[in-house]
Structures are given as C-alpha cells and as structure tokens.
C-alpha cells in the first residue's frame, strides 16, 4: 500500500437546507505507517457539519485504531446504560493484518462505529467525540495517554477486558451467588440477548462458509476453464472452438463468483458479525446494570443494618447521629437513582436497537437474495448459451 495519501476530495456532505443541522463523518484513505512490529494503519477522518459547537464546517484529522478505542472507552465510562457502538476486533492473524481485504473491512467498521455515535441523540453531544473529530495528532496523543484513576494505562485494558468477561459469565449468567436482579422482565431480556447472540453467531459462521464456498467454486471454474481450453486445443477441429467457448464461459463465471463472494463478505457476513459485536456491547451494559443493582441493594442493606446501631448513638450524640444518618440516606438514594437511570436508559436503547437491527439485518438479507438471484441468472444464461453448440457436437 502506498505511503502517500490520495488528494481526492472528501465525500460530499449531505444536502443542508438553511437552518437544518447536520453532521457528516467519513473514515477513509487507510495508509500503512511504519514497519515491522511498529507498523499500523492510519485513517483520514473527515467531518462536515454546520453545528455551532464545531470548529468550522469541515475538519480533516488523521486517526489510528487506538484513537477509536480511546473514544469507545471514554464513552463507555461516562454513559452508563447506553449501548456504546462496538469496535471491530483489535487483533488479527499477523499475515492478514495488512491485507487489502482486512484493511477495508476494518475501515468500513470504524466508519460505522463513529457514525453510529454521531447519530445517537446523547453520544453525539459528547465532548470526547468533538476532541476525536477535531484535535490535532499531538493533542490526540496527549488525550489518549491521559491517565487518572478512571482511565488506566493501555496495559491495564487487557485486565479490564478479562474482568468484564468474568462479570458477564458470573453476574449476567447468574453463576455468581451475590444478590442480583431477578424481575421477570429482566430475566426475559437476559434470555433473549444470549439467544440472539448464539443465533447471530451461527448465522455469521454459515455466511462465512458461503463466502468460502463461492471463492472455492470460482477458483475451480477458473481451473476448469483453462483445462478445457487445453483439451480443445489437443482435439482440434470443431471441438476446439466449442471447448474454447466452454472454457471462456467458465472463466467468466469464475470472475462473477469471486465478485459475489466479495459482495457476500462486505454486505452480508460483515453486517451479521457487526451485530454479534453489538450484542457484546449490550452485555457490557448489562454488567453495569448488575453492578448498579448490587450497589443499590448493598447500600440499602447497610443503611438498615447501621440504622440499628445509629439508634444507640441518637441519645449519646444527636448531632453525629443526624450527620451519619443523612450520609447513609444520601448514599443509598444516589445508588438507587443510578440503578433506576441505567434501567430507564436501557429500555430506550433496546427499542432503538431493535428498530435499527430490523432495518440493518433486513437490508443485509435483501442484498444477499439479490446477489444470489443475479448470480443464478448469469450462470444459467452462460451455460444455456453454449448448449446448442454442445448438442451439435454430440449428434
């Protein structure tokens, strides 16, 4: 891949009638930077908007995967209850990491990630999104390396991920015995999410097999086309011409199968894979909900338990009693509000998720059926065209 970026114009912004706000973001122009183990892909992120909170109507910045990861983690920490759009997987097999196909799949997924944030009614107002879209590379590096008690070192993220995985298994699945939410509505939601993940993962696996089968069949047709042409040349006379046409049809269909394999990969398998990742985001939010419920319950229990002991203090030191009682009440109420907020936000997010899922998966299956129908017609037309000549040879 060239180290030079193209100078082509950025994608056209949406039509913007006077007074109609818009925010258009494109992740484009991936370029390999560095060599060896230090190599990475950078992207041009183009923002076009008429929103007053942004610095001008167009901004172009260079970002790498870790910058997108920074944005995801900041939003996940600050917006509890919201399903943060998923990122594509960070790691890949080394020999495929810089393949043209892998880079394009990742670019497409990153573009989808940032545009989902920009279209979300709350996330699009995030100051972190504005930093991501507008900060120069030096400032972005500082923000990414910023470290507090909340935002840990990059080396800590692996452990944080393992902790989340453990909590998903123990808390959400109910393997851990400490108190957990057990309302019928929440149990129904948990069952649905885990079933959805399993079915999506299976559908994605079978879609991958379809892609692989199309590519294998395409390669087989290409090999067959070459072989049948050589056979015709060996035979000579009328067979050579007929076999040459059969070989050409095979090679032509090979190209069509390879193209349809690419179409399946980008427009069918990848959307299914994206929704498998989206379910992981929902499960991470369920972990936040479980933790909030546990804290709410524990503080309520603590208030009840300490309340008994506080009664003794009431007569000894009334001022201290009032202070401690107010503190316990405030902590308990804050935990209750936090839990109720997450529940309310999750309900809104689920409705939004279902609506978007129906549209996206419906489109993916429509593209799948349309591509398969066209491919079947092309195959039928190709072989139908050579039938008369083959029949003439056989009589």
């Amino acid at each position: 891949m060239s180290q030079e970026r193209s100078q082509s114009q950025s994608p056209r912004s949406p039509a913007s009638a006077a007074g109609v706000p818009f925010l258009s973001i494109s992740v484009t122009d991936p370029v390999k930077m560095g060599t060896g183990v230090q190599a990475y892909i950078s992207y041009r992120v183009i923002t076009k908007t008429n929103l007053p909170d942004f610095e001008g109507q167009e901004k172009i910045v260079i970002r790498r995967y870790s910058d997108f990861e920074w944005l995801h983690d900041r939003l996940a920490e600050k917006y509890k209850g919201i399903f943060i759009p998923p990122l594509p997987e960070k790691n890949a097999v080394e020999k495929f990491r810089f393949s043209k196909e892998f880079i394009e799949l990742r670019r497409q997924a990153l573009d989808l990630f940032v545009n989902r944030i920009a279209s979300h009614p709350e996330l699009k107002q995030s100051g972190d999104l504005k930093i991501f879209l507008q900060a120069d590379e030096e400032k972005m590096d500082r923000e990414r390396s910023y470290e507090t008690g909340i935002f840990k070192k990059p080396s800590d993220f692996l452990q944080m991920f393992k902790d989340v995985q453990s909590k998903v298994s123990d808390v959400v699945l109910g393997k851990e015995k400490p108190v957990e939410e057990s309302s019928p509505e929440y149990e129904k939601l948990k069952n649905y999410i885990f079933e959805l993940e399993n079915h999506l993962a299976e559908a994605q696996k079978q879609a991958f097999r379809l892609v692989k089968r199309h590519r294998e069949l395409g390669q087989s047709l290409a090999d067959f086309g070459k072989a049948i042409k050589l056979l015709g040349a060996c035979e000579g006379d009328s067979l050579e011409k007929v076999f040459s046409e059969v070989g050409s049809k095979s090679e032509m269909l090979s190209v069509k199968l390879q193209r349809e394999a690419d179409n399946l990969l980008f427009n069918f398998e990848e959307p299914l894979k994206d929704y498998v990742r989206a379910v992981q985001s929902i499960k991470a939010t369920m972990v936040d909900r479980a933790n909030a419920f546990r804290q709410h319950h524990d503080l309520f229990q603590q208030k009840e338990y300490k309340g008994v002991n506080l009664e003794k203090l009431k007569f000894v030191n009334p001022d201290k009693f009032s202070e401690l009682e107010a503190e316990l009440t405030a902590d308990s109420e804050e935990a209750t509000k936090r839990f109720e907020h997450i529940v309310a936000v999750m309900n809104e997010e689920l409705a939004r998720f279902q609506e978007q899922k129906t549209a996206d998966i419906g489109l993916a299956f429509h593209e799948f059926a349309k591509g398969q129908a066209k491919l079947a017609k092309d195959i039928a037309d190709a072989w139908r065209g050579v039938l008369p000549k083959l029949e003439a040879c056989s009589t």
Side-chain angles (χ1 to χ4, degrees):
M1 184 178 295
S2 171
Q3 291 286 330
E4 297 297 326
R5 291 187 180 273
S6 67
Q7 298 301 314
S8 60
Q9 295 296 315
S10 59
R12 186 173 50 181
S13 62
S16 53
V20 178
F22 72 89
L23 176 60
S24 170
I25 305 170
S26 298
V27 178
T28 186
D29 203 9
V31 171
K32 182 179 178 181
M33 309 295 291
T35 58
V37 295
Q38 299 298 322
Y40 64 92
I41 300 296
S42 68
Y43 306 86
R44 188 196 298 262
V45 179
I46 304 168
T47 304
K48 293 188 176 184
T49 184
N50 61 357
L51 298 176
D53 294 342
F54 285 78
E55 303 168 0
Q57 295 188 345
E58 180 173 299
K59 187 74 174 181
I60 300 176
V61 295
I62 304 301
R63 295 290 180 258
R64 56 187 296 183
Y65 182 86
S66 54
D67 297 321
F68 290 87
E69 194 174 38
W70 170 88
L71 177 61
H72 176 277
D73 292 340
R74 297 282 292 211
L75 295 176
E77 183 62 39
K78 293 181 179 181
Y79 292 88
K80 299 298 184 183
I82 291 179
F83 303 156
I84 306 302
L87 283 168
E89 292 77 7
K90 181 173 183 177
N91 296 320
V93 178
E94 184 63 28
K95 67 178 181 178
F96 299 127
R97 193 158 65 100
F98 295 114
S99 69
K100 182 178 179 181
E101 182 179 283
F102 175 80
I103 290 172
E104 176 55 24
L105 283 171
R106 172 168 282 190
R107 183 209 63 78
Q108 180 177 290
L110 292 174
D111 186 280
L112 183 61
F113 163 73
V114 74
N115 275 285
R116 279 177 171 165
I117 294 172
S119 65
H120 192 281
E122 288 191 49
L123 297 181
K124 69 181 180 182
Q125 301 177 42
S126 165
D128 295 315
L129 175 62
K130 294 181 178 66
I131 291 173
F132 175 84
L133 295 176
Q134 298 179 120
D136 58 35
E137 292 177 69
E138 183 179 345
K139 182 178 180 182
M140 192 70 241
D141 286 342
R142 288 199 306 270
E143 291 288 341
R144 197 175 65 245
S145 61
Y146 180 64
E147 179 181 324
T148 68
I150 297 177
F151 302 108
K152 303 179 184 295
K153 299 176 183 178
S155 59
D156 291 335
F157 280 119
L158 179 60
Q159 185 59 46
M160 291 171 67
F161 177 73
K162 290 179 179 178
D163 291 343
V164 168
Q165 280 190 317
S166 175
K167 289 174 182 176
V168 167
S169 298
D170 296 339
V171 180
V172 179
L173 282 174
K175 292 180 180 178
E176 194 178 84
K177 292 309 177 186
V179 64
E180 59 184 47
E181 187 180 356
S182 59
S183 67
E185 294 81 6
Y186 190 52
E187 289 299 320
K188 183 179 179 181
L189 170 62
K190 287 195 293 185
N191 291 334
Y192 167 71
I193 291 301
F194 283 97
E195 284 187 12
L196 177 63
E197 181 182 31
N198 290 335
H199 295 321
L200 280 171
E202 181 62 25
Q204 185 265 323
K205 182 173 74 173
Q206 299 306 325
F208 171 78
R209 290 180 177 177
L210 279 173
V211 173
K212 184 179 179 182
R213 181 176 179 276
H214 278 64
R215 286 181 171 163
E216 290 173 346
L217 181 56
Q219 185 59 53
S220 295
L221 277 171
D223 295 340
F224 173 74
K226 293 175 184 177
I228 204 68
K229 282 182 176 181
L230 292 173
L231 177 61
C234 176
E235 291 292 331
D237 299 327
S238 59
L239 281 178
E240 179 177 6
K241 186 175 181 181
V242 175
F243 282 11
S244 177
E245 186 170 349
V246 171
S248 296
K249 293 291 186 183
S250 294
E251 291 171 343
M252 179 268 290
L253 290 176
S254 169
V255 173
K256 289 183 178 294
L257 275 159
Q258 296 294 353
R259 288 176 179 170
E260 180 55 22
D262 289 341
N263 178 57
L264 281 173
L265 175 63
F266 285 96
N267 298 317
F268 187 58
E269 185 205 346
E270 184 60 22
L272 291 173
K273 190 175 184 180
D274 174 68
Y275 267 91
V276 174
R277 294 190 290 252
V279 171
Q280 290 291 330
S281 293
I282 296 177
K283 289 167 68 176
T285 305
M286 291 167 69
V287 170
D288 290 335
R289 175 170 173 163
N291 289 336
F293 178 81
R294 185 181 302 173
Q295 186 178 33
H296 148 75
H297 179 272
D298 289 350
L299 284 172
F300 179 80
Q301 292 291 95
Q302 188 180 76
K303 179 186 175 185
E304 293 295 305
Y305 173 75
K306 289 187 175 181
V308 176
N309 294 327
L310 281 176
E311 285 298 319
K312 301 175 183 178
L313 183 64
K314 184 176 182 180
F315 301 101
V316 178
N317 191 336
D319 293 337
K320 188 64 175 178
F321 165 80
S322 299
E323 179 184 339
L324 292 175
E325 183 183 44
E327 183 179 331
L328 281 173
T329 300
D331 288 345
S332 178
E333 290 178 350
E334 178 62 28
T336 300
K337 288 179 182 178
R338 190 181 304 115
F339 169 68
E340 291 175 347
H341 171 76
I342 290 177
V343 171
V345 171
M346 275 192 70
N347 289 337
E348 294 176 3
E349 290 292 289
L350 280 168
R352 193 189 337 271
F353 170 79
Q354 294 286 31
E355 181 180 357
Q356 191 62 54
K357 175 173 62 69
T358 299
D360 291 342
I361 299 298
L363 177 61
F365 274 87
H366 177 267
E367 290 298 311
F368 165 74
K370 185 172 70 173
Q372 293 296 293
K374 184 178 185 306
L375 178 63
K377 182 178 183 303
D378 289 342
I379 292 173
D381 289 346
W383 294 131
R384 192 179 293 114
V386 298
L387 278 177
K389 295 176 182 178
L390 289 170
E391 288 171 355
C393 290
S394 62
T395 57

